[in-house]
Amino acid sequence: MRKFFKVIRIIAALSISVTLFLGCSKDDAEIILTASLTSNSIDATVTSQFLKIESNGAWQISVTYVSGEQNWCSSDVTSGNGDRNVILMFSANSSSANRVAEIKVTSGQKTVTLTLTQLSPTNGGGGNTGNLKWLEIPSGGVNSNSEVVTHTTILSNKTVRNYSMLFDKQEKIAYWVAYPHHTSYIGSTGRTDNWQRDPKFSSSNQANLFSGISGYDRGHQIPSADRTCSYEANSQTFYFTNMTPQQSSLNQYLWAKLEGQVRTWMEGSDTLFVVTGAILKTTGKNETVNYATDASGGKIAVPNYYYKVLLRLKSSKYDAIGFWLEHRSYGNVPASAAETKSIDDIEALTGFDFFSNLANDVENTIEAEWNPRAWNL
């Protein structure tokens, strides 16, 4: 009889083990998920850092604000699959209190929760929050006639930067327009053609381009096709401050093809940081500046040169390339290696310091390099 009850106990134990095994989710047991921040505490002026995710499946990111101001943290993507370095983006903290957010990464039933604190300036979090610290923002070149402004838009229910610019209110053109570029800014919105004045500037400080520019195209600096995620984001590319008088033989051919090449490079990057600009005079030179006429008879300076500088982040590594174009026709051809220069070379021509918010050793290395083949040129 004892032998009989022993057998019954063994059968019962096996039954419980089988039940527990079947009750487990095989998918959850196989999910691998880790996440970490470059730093869990950042200064008030720090406006970006990496969120490193390692996973063998699909994941989602959510942000909950624990204390302090709300809606100051966003990410370049909110979902993905597999390993990725996600870029977290923050506004500078100009308040008197620290700001704390919980960042959750979820894959299946697994969740990793990280706490991020952005210090206030009064709590040892750094000084001047008026300086933009985004990677795409150049330094230098601001004078009494010019002003740096940033336009924001809504992306994944977060307020994010659309683009920034250095605009000359006397010459009525932007010397640079800078923006992050990744797939989250691309959507199904078509070209709005919502030509309008820039609300950041008075009407007297910008050209009247409702009916075009005499003898020239209204040449976008940040292209309409780079901002199709929403009506608002696309409409902002039609601000008159984003336009320069550009020869149609450049605007509609090589320049348009270069914009398409930039979008292709963006698709193959984690994030592409873009600075595109117009130059009247190169550093130390005294080129003649010509002027076009707007719809009100006002004058708008015609650039002698155009440039683009690109900083590519891919698999946690940076590289960069620059394009320098005279304001003339190059024919209906794509940009080639012949139009490229190192970032150092374009800095020497423009007087701007590009990508100065990178670590010095990284900045110095990538700006000295000139490798068109890495960009399939």
Side-chain angles (χ1 to χ4, degrees), residues 196-241:
Q196 58 185 303
R197 290 188 173 93
D198 189 332
K200 296 277 189 179
F201 298 94
S202 67
S203 296
S204 62
N205 286 331
Q206 54 188 304
N208 176 0
L209 304 182
F210 282 110
S211 58
I213 307 172
S214 176
Y216 294 92
D217 285 359
R218 292 172 290 190
H220 283 68
Q221 298 219 55
I222 175 173
S224 164
D226 284 5
R227 291 295 188 262
T228 57
C229 57
S230 70
Y231 184 88
E232 179 188 53
N234 188 265
S235 291
Q236 289 179 355
T237 70
F238 287 90
Y239 288 158
F240 296 154
T241 53

Short mmCIF file of all heavy atoms in Angstrom, two decimals, residues 196-241:
data_model
loop_
_atom_site.label_atom_id
_atom_site.label_comp_id
_atom_site.label_asym_id
_atom_site.label_seq_id
_atom_site.Cartn_x
_atom_site.Cartn_y
_atom_site.Cartn_z
N GLN A 196 4.09 81.38 -46.22
CA GLN A 196 3.67 82.32 -45.17
C GLN A 196 4.87 82.97 -44.52
O GLN A 196 6.01 82.50 -44.61
CB GLN A 196 2.86 81.58 -44.10
CG GLN A 196 3.61 80.42 -43.45
CD GLN A 196 2.77 79.63 -42.49
OE1 GLN A 196 2.22 80.19 -41.54
NE2 GLN A 196 2.64 78.32 -42.73
N ARG A 197 4.58 84.09 -43.85
CA ARG A 197 5.62 84.76 -43.07
C ARG A 197 5.95 83.93 -41.82
O ARG A 197 5.11 83.22 -41.28
CB ARG A 197 5.17 86.16 -42.67
CG ARG A 197 5.08 87.14 -43.84
CD ARG A 197 4.81 88.55 -43.35
NE ARG A 197 4.88 89.51 -44.44
CZ ARG A 197 3.85 89.91 -45.15
NH1 ARG A 197 2.63 89.41 -44.88
NH2 ARG A 197 3.98 90.80 -46.12
N ASP A 198 7.18 84.08 -41.37
CA ASP A 198 7.64 83.39 -40.17
C ASP A 198 7.14 84.15 -38.95
O ASP A 198 7.47 85.34 -38.78
CB ASP A 198 9.17 83.33 -40.19
CG ASP A 198 9.76 82.46 -39.09
OD1 ASP A 198 9.12 82.32 -38.03
OD2 ASP A 198 10.87 81.92 -39.29
N PRO A 199 6.36 83.50 -38.08
CA PRO A 199 5.83 84.22 -36.90
C PRO A 199 6.90 84.62 -35.90
O PRO A 199 6.61 85.42 -34.99
CB PRO A 199 4.85 83.21 -36.30
CG PRO A 199 5.32 81.87 -36.77
CD PRO A 199 5.89 82.10 -38.13
N LYS A 200 8.11 84.11 -36.03
CA LYS A 200 9.20 84.47 -35.11
C LYS A 200 9.78 85.85 -35.41
O LYS A 200 10.53 86.40 -34.59
CB LYS A 200 10.32 83.44 -35.18
CG LYS A 200 9.94 82.03 -34.74
CD LYS A 200 10.01 81.86 -33.24
CE LYS A 200 9.83 80.41 -32.84
NZ LYS A 200 9.92 80.21 -31.39
N PHE A 201 9.46 86.41 -36.59
CA PHE A 201 10.04 87.69 -37.00
C PHE A 201 8.93 88.64 -37.47
O PHE A 201 7.89 88.20 -37.98
CB PHE A 201 11.05 87.49 -38.14
CG PHE A 201 12.23 86.65 -37.78
CD1 PHE A 201 12.23 85.29 -38.04
CD2 PHE A 201 13.34 87.20 -37.16
CE1 PHE A 201 13.32 84.49 -37.71
CE2 PHE A 201 14.43 86.42 -36.82
CZ PHE A 201 14.42 85.06 -37.09
N SER A 202 9.17 89.93 -37.32
CA SER A 202 8.22 90.92 -37.83
C SER A 202 8.22 90.90 -39.35
O SER A 202 9.20 90.48 -39.99
CB SER A 202 8.58 92.31 -37.32
OG SER A 202 9.81 92.73 -37.90
N SER A 203 7.13 91.36 -39.94
CA SER A 203 7.02 91.38 -41.40
C SER A 203 8.12 92.22 -42.04
O SER A 203 8.61 91.90 -43.12
CB SER A 203 5.65 91.93 -41.82
OG SER A 203 4.62 91.08 -41.38
N SER A 204 8.52 93.30 -41.36
CA SER A 204 9.54 94.19 -41.93
C SER A 204 10.92 93.56 -41.98
O SER A 204 11.79 94.03 -42.72
CB SER A 204 9.60 95.49 -41.11
OG SER A 204 9.98 95.22 -39.76
N ASN A 205 11.13 92.49 -41.21
CA ASN A 205 12.45 91.85 -41.16
C ASN A 205 12.55 90.61 -42.05
O ASN A 205 13.55 89.89 -41.98
CB ASN A 205 12.79 91.47 -39.72
CG ASN A 205 13.16 92.67 -38.88
OD1 ASN A 205 13.67 93.66 -39.40
ND2 ASN A 205 12.89 92.60 -37.59
N GLN A 206 11.52 90.35 -42.85
CA GLN A 206 11.58 89.22 -43.77
C GLN A 206 10.97 89.62 -45.10
O GLN A 206 10.16 90.54 -45.19
CB GLN A 206 10.88 88.00 -43.19
CG GLN A 206 9.45 88.23 -42.74
CD GLN A 206 8.86 87.05 -41.98
OE1 GLN A 206 8.83 85.93 -42.48
NE2 GLN A 206 8.38 87.30 -40.76
N ALA A 207 11.37 88.92 -46.15
CA ALA A 207 10.89 89.24 -47.49
C ALA A 207 9.43 88.85 -47.66
O ALA A 207 8.93 87.94 -46.99
CB ALA A 207 11.76 88.53 -48.52
N ASN A 208 8.76 89.53 -48.57
CA ASN A 208 7.39 89.19 -48.95
C ASN A 208 7.48 88.29 -50.18
O ASN A 208 7.72 88.75 -51.29
CB ASN A 208 6.61 90.46 -49.26
CG ASN A 208 5.20 90.16 -49.78
OD1 ASN A 208 4.80 89.00 -49.92
ND2 ASN A 208 4.45 91.21 -50.07
N LEU A 209 7.27 86.99 -49.97
CA LEU A 209 7.48 86.02 -51.05
C LEU A 209 6.18 85.32 -51.44
O LEU A 209 6.22 84.23 -52.01
CB LEU A 209 8.53 84.99 -50.62
CG LEU A 209 9.89 85.55 -50.19
CD1 LEU A 209 10.85 84.43 -49.83
CD2 LEU A 209 10.48 86.44 -51.29
N PHE A 210 5.03 85.94 -51.15
CA PHE A 210 3.77 85.29 -51.49
C PHE A 210 3.67 85.01 -52.98
O PHE A 210 3.11 83.98 -53.38
CB PHE A 210 2.58 86.15 -51.04
CG PHE A 210 2.32 86.07 -49.57
CD1 PHE A 210 2.57 87.16 -48.75
CD2 PHE A 210 1.82 84.90 -49.00
CE1 PHE A 210 2.31 87.09 -47.38
CE2 PHE A 210 1.57 84.82 -47.64
CZ PHE A 210 1.82 85.92 -46.82
N SER A 211 4.20 85.90 -53.80
CA SER A 211 4.11 85.70 -55.25
C SER A 211 5.47 85.40 -55.87
O SER A 211 5.67 85.58 -57.06
CB SER A 211 3.48 86.93 -55.92
OG SER A 211 4.23 88.10 -55.62
N GLY A 212 6.41 84.94 -55.04
CA GLY A 212 7.70 84.53 -55.57
C GLY A 212 8.76 85.61 -55.49
O GLY A 212 8.59 86.65 -54.83
N ILE A 213 9.89 85.35 -56.16
CA ILE A 213 11.03 86.27 -56.19
C ILE A 213 11.35 86.55 -57.65
O ILE A 213 11.50 85.62 -58.45
CB ILE A 213 12.28 85.66 -55.51
CG1 ILE A 213 11.94 85.17 -54.10
CG2 ILE A 213 13.42 86.68 -55.45
CD1 ILE A 213 13.07 84.40 -53.43
N SER A 214 11.47 87.79 -58.00
CA SER A 214 11.72 88.17 -59.39
C SER A 214 13.01 87.53 -59.92
O SER A 214 14.10 87.78 -59.40
CB SER A 214 11.83 89.69 -59.50
OG SER A 214 12.15 90.08 -60.81
N GLY A 215 12.87 86.64 -60.92
CA GLY A 215 14.03 86.04 -61.59
C GLY A 215 14.61 84.82 -60.91
O GLY A 215 15.57 84.23 -61.42
N TYR A 216 14.02 84.41 -59.77
CA TYR A 216 14.59 83.28 -59.02
C TYR A 216 13.47 82.37 -58.49
O TYR A 216 12.32 82.79 -58.36
CB TYR A 216 15.41 83.78 -57.82
CG TYR A 216 16.64 84.55 -58.19
CD1 TYR A 216 16.60 85.94 -58.33
CD2 TYR A 216 17.86 83.90 -58.41
CE1 TYR A 216 17.74 86.66 -58.67
CE2 TYR A 216 19.01 84.63 -58.74
CZ TYR A 216 18.93 86.00 -58.88
OH TYR A 216 20.06 86.72 -59.21
N ASP A 217 13.85 81.14 -58.17
CA ASP A 217 12.97 80.26 -57.41
C ASP A 217 13.02 80.62 -55.94
O ASP A 217 14.01 81.19 -55.45
CB ASP A 217 13.42 78.79 -57.55
CG ASP A 217 13.08 78.20 -58.90
OD1 ASP A 217 12.47 78.91 -59.73
OD2 ASP A 217 13.45 77.03 -59.13
N ARG A 218 11.95 80.28 -55.23
CA ARG A 218 11.98 80.34 -53.76
C ARG A 218 12.62 79.03 -53.29
O ARG A 218 11.95 78.01 -53.15
CB ARG A 218 10.57 80.50 -53.20
CG ARG A 218 9.92 81.83 -53.52
CD ARG A 218 8.45 81.87 -53.12
NE ARG A 218 7.62 81.03 -53.97
CZ ARG A 218 6.27 81.05 -53.95
NH1 ARG A 218 5.64 81.86 -53.12
NH2 ARG A 218 5.59 80.25 -54.75
N GLY A 219 13.92 79.06 -53.06
CA GLY A 219 14.67 77.84 -52.74
C GLY A 219 14.62 77.51 -51.27
O GLY A 219 15.12 78.28 -50.43
N HIS A 220 14.02 76.35 -50.94
CA HIS A 220 14.00 75.89 -49.55
C HIS A 220 15.41 75.58 -49.06
O HIS A 220 16.25 75.08 -49.81
CB HIS A 220 13.20 74.58 -49.43
CG HIS A 220 11.71 74.74 -49.48
ND1 HIS A 220 11.04 75.14 -50.61
CD2 HIS A 220 10.76 74.53 -48.53
CE1 HIS A 220 9.74 75.16 -50.36
NE2 HIS A 220 9.54 74.80 -49.10
N GLN A 221 15.65 75.83 -47.77
CA GLN A 221 16.87 75.32 -47.14
C GLN A 221 16.58 73.99 -46.45
O GLN A 221 17.23 73.00 -46.75
CB GLN A 221 17.44 76.36 -46.18
CG GLN A 221 17.84 77.65 -46.91
CD GLN A 221 19.11 78.26 -46.39
OE1 GLN A 221 20.15 77.61 -46.34
NE2 GLN A 221 19.03 79.52 -45.99
N ILE A 222 15.60 73.93 -45.53
CA ILE A 222 15.11 72.61 -45.12
C ILE A 222 14.02 72.25 -46.12
O ILE A 222 13.04 72.99 -46.27
CB ILE A 222 14.62 72.56 -43.67
CG1 ILE A 222 14.02 71.17 -43.37
CG2 ILE A 222 13.64 73.67 -43.34
CD1 ILE A 222 13.64 70.95 -41.91
N PRO A 223 14.15 71.14 -46.83
CA PRO A 223 13.18 70.82 -47.88
C PRO A 223 11.82 70.43 -47.33
O PRO A 223 11.70 69.86 -46.23
CB PRO A 223 13.82 69.63 -48.61
CG PRO A 223 15.24 69.57 -48.14
CD PRO A 223 15.26 70.19 -46.78
N SER A 224 10.80 70.71 -48.10
CA SER A 224 9.46 70.26 -47.76
C SER A 224 9.41 68.75 -47.57
O SER A 224 8.78 68.24 -46.63
CB SER A 224 8.47 70.68 -48.86
OG SER A 224 7.26 69.99 -48.78
N ALA A 225 10.08 68.01 -48.44
CA ALA A 225 10.02 66.54 -48.40
C ALA A 225 10.72 65.95 -47.20
O ALA A 225 10.57 64.75 -46.92
CB ALA A 225 10.61 65.97 -49.68
N ASP A 226 11.49 66.74 -46.45
CA ASP A 226 12.13 66.25 -45.22
C ASP A 226 11.20 66.31 -44.02
O ASP A 226 11.55 65.83 -42.94
CB ASP A 226 13.39 67.06 -44.91
CG ASP A 226 14.56 66.68 -45.80
OD1 ASP A 226 14.37 65.85 -46.72
OD2 ASP A 226 15.66 67.22 -45.60
N ARG A 227 10.03 66.92 -44.17
CA ARG A 227 9.10 67.09 -43.06
C ARG A 227 7.67 66.79 -43.54
O ARG A 227 6.89 67.71 -43.80
CB ARG A 227 9.20 68.52 -42.49
CG ARG A 227 10.52 68.82 -41.76
CD ARG A 227 10.63 67.96 -40.53
NE ARG A 227 11.76 68.28 -39.67
CZ ARG A 227 12.91 67.64 -39.68
NH1 ARG A 227 13.13 66.65 -40.54
NH2 ARG A 227 13.87 67.98 -38.83
N THR A 228 7.37 65.51 -43.64
CA THR A 228 6.04 65.08 -44.10
C THR A 228 5.28 64.33 -43.01
O THR A 228 4.30 63.65 -43.30
CB THR A 228 6.17 64.20 -45.36
OG1 THR A 228 7.02 63.08 -45.07
CG2 THR A 228 6.73 64.99 -46.53
N CYS A 229 5.72 64.44 -41.76
CA CYS A 229 5.07 63.73 -40.66
C CYS A 229 3.76 64.39 -40.25
O CYS A 229 2.91 63.74 -39.63
CB CYS A 229 6.01 63.63 -39.46
SG CYS A 229 6.60 65.23 -38.85
N SER A 230 3.58 65.67 -40.56
CA SER A 230 2.35 66.36 -40.19
C SER A 230 2.20 67.62 -41.03
O SER A 230 3.16 68.12 -41.64
CB SER A 230 2.35 66.75 -38.71
OG SER A 230 3.27 67.79 -38.46
N TYR A 231 0.97 68.14 -41.04
CA TYR A 231 0.70 69.39 -41.77
C TYR A 231 1.51 70.53 -41.18
O TYR A 231 2.09 71.34 -41.91
CB TYR A 231 -0.80 69.70 -41.72
CG TYR A 231 -1.18 70.92 -42.53
CD1 TYR A 231 -1.51 70.80 -43.88
CD2 TYR A 231 -1.23 72.18 -41.94
CE1 TYR A 231 -1.86 71.92 -44.62
CE2 TYR A 231 -1.57 73.30 -42.68
CZ TYR A 231 -1.89 73.17 -44.02
OH TYR A 231 -2.23 74.28 -44.76
N GLU A 232 1.56 70.60 -39.84
CA GLU A 232 2.30 71.69 -39.19
C GLU A 232 3.78 71.65 -39.53
O GLU A 232 4.38 72.67 -39.89
CB GLU A 232 2.11 71.63 -37.68
CG GLU A 232 2.88 72.72 -36.93
CD GLU A 232 2.86 72.55 -35.43
OE1 GLU A 232 3.23 71.44 -34.95
OE2 GLU A 232 2.49 73.49 -34.73
N ALA A 233 4.38 70.47 -39.42
CA ALA A 233 5.82 70.35 -39.68
C ALA A 233 6.15 70.75 -41.11
O ALA A 233 7.14 71.44 -41.37
CB ALA A 233 6.28 68.92 -39.41
N ASN A 234 5.31 70.33 -42.07
CA ASN A 234 5.56 70.68 -43.46
C ASN A 234 5.31 72.16 -43.72
O ASN A 234 6.08 72.81 -44.44
CB ASN A 234 4.70 69.82 -44.38
CG ASN A 234 5.08 70.00 -45.83
OD1 ASN A 234 4.47 70.80 -46.55
ND2 ASN A 234 6.09 69.27 -46.27
N SER A 235 4.25 72.70 -43.13
CA SER A 235 3.94 74.12 -43.33
C SER A 235 5.09 75.02 -42.89
O SER A 235 5.36 76.05 -43.51
CB SER A 235 2.66 74.50 -42.57
OG SER A 235 1.53 73.90 -43.13
N GLN A 236 5.76 74.64 -41.82
CA GLN A 236 6.86 75.47 -41.32
C GLN A 236 8.02 75.55 -42.29
O GLN A 236 8.82 76.49 -42.23
CB GLN A 236 7.32 74.95 -39.96
CG GLN A 236 6.32 75.19 -38.84
CD GLN A 236 6.79 74.64 -37.51
OE1 GLN A 236 7.83 73.99 -37.40
NE2 GLN A 236 6.01 74.88 -36.46
N THR A 237 8.15 74.57 -43.19
CA THR A 237 9.22 74.66 -44.19
C THR A 237 8.91 75.70 -45.26
O THR A 237 9.79 76.04 -46.05
CB THR A 237 9.47 73.30 -44.88
OG1 THR A 237 8.36 72.97 -45.74
CG2 THR A 237 9.69 72.19 -43.87
N PHE A 238 7.67 76.22 -45.28
CA PHE A 238 7.29 77.24 -46.25
C PHE A 238 7.34 78.65 -45.67
O PHE A 238 6.86 79.60 -46.29
CB PHE A 238 5.90 76.94 -46.82
CG PHE A 238 5.90 75.78 -47.78
CD1 PHE A 238 5.69 74.48 -47.32
CD2 PHE A 238 6.15 75.97 -49.14
CE1 PHE A 238 5.71 73.41 -48.19
CE2 PHE A 238 6.18 74.89 -50.01
CZ PHE A 238 5.97 73.61 -49.55
N TYR A 239 7.93 78.80 -44.48
CA TYR A 239 8.17 80.15 -43.96
C TYR A 239 9.13 80.87 -44.90
O TYR A 239 10.11 80.28 -45.40
CB TYR A 239 8.78 80.09 -42.56
CG TYR A 239 7.82 79.65 -41.46
CD1 TYR A 239 8.33 79.12 -40.27
CD2 TYR A 239 6.45 79.78 -41.59
CE1 TYR A 239 7.47 78.74 -39.25
CE2 TYR A 239 5.59 79.40 -40.57
CZ TYR A 239 6.10 78.88 -39.40
OH TYR A 239 5.25 78.49 -38.40
N PHE A 240 8.91 82.15 -45.10
CA PHE A 240 9.75 82.92 -46.01
C PHE A 240 11.20 82.99 -45.54
O PHE A 240 12.12 83.13 -46.34
CB PHE A 240 9.19 84.33 -46.19
CG PHE A 240 7.83 84.37 -46.85
CD1 PHE A 240 6.97 85.43 -46.62
CD2 PHE A 240 7.41 83.34 -47.69
CE1 PHE A 240 5.72 85.48 -47.22
CE2 PHE A 240 6.16 83.37 -48.29
CZ PHE A 240 5.30 84.44 -48.05
N THR A 241 11.42 82.88 -44.23
CA THR A 241 12.78 82.91 -43.70
C THR A 241 13.58 81.68 -44.12
O THR A 241 14.82 81.69 -44.05
CB THR A 241 12.75 83.00 -42.17
OG1 THR A 241 11.92 81.94 -41.67
CG2 THR A 241 12.22 84.34 -41.70
#
